[in-house]
Amino acid sequence: MTSLDGFDLKILAALQDDGRLTNQQLADLAGLSASQCSRRRTRLEDEKIIAGYHADLASEALGFNVLAFIQITLATHSPNNAKRFRDLMRRVDEIQEAYSLTGDADYLLKVVLSDLKSLSDIVNNVLMPHESVAHVRSSIVLDRLKTTRKLPLRKLAG
């Protein structure tokens, strides 16, 4: 793990809140000069601590009104079968996140869709017929209680 000091943590915390900050704005928040801040920011990017920048789009404003989680159990647990399933996941744009798990399910998928018909299509026409899949179980999100991508940086300051 890269060694981070208090200034680095201030920079990271500020960028988690607003990735569009200029170096001067960031420097003011971190208590550094703009050139010092720029060098630190570049180092954090080069070391892949800052993995990238993106716009956070409002899914519902764009018509993606259904969020669901889908648990997948594979038909067989062979490397080839897992590869076929992972290849399928990469091709399906509606899958936002995918995790390999311990426990009853092999994978957990987070999908965003426009409506319930789209969920039905993904489950019945894409996932269930795929030769790598044995079992599919979906859960529709009723309400988002918390959504964040922010890391708990205060834990690192200790």
Side-chain angles (χ1 to χ4, degrees), residues 73-119:
T73 304
L74 294 182
T76 61
H77 292 91
S78 68
N80 191 38
N81 199 44
K83 181 186 179 317
R84 284 195 310 262
F85 181 71
R86 290 173 187 219
D87 289 343
L88 170 68
M89 284 187 304
R90 286 193 232 354
R91 293 191 308 265
V92 179
D93 291 340
E94 292 85 355
I95 299 173
Q96 288 190 307
E97 299 176 31
Y99 302 94
S100 177
L101 305 173
T102 62
D104 294 334
D106 295 311
Y107 294 94
L108 178 66
L109 312 178
K110 176 185 168 189
V111 297
V112 63
L113 308 139
S114 56
D115 51 32
L116 292 177
K117 168 104 175 65
S118 298
L119 176 60

Side-chain angles (χ1 to χ4, degrees), residues 35-48:
S35 61
Q36 289 174 313
C37 187
S38 178
R39 283 192 298 275
R40 284 176 178 264
R41 182 185 210 163
T42 299
R43 178 182 57 83
L44 293 168
E45 291 169 349
D46 290 345
E47 293 177 359
K48 305 296 185 221

Side-chain angles (χ1 to χ4, degrees), residues 57-77:
L57 305 181
S59 57
E60 290 178 352
L62 293 167
F64 297 103
N65 298 309
V66 175
L67 177 63
F69 290 91
I70 302 174
Q71 295 180 11
I72 303 290
T73 304
L74 294 182
T76 61
H77 292 91

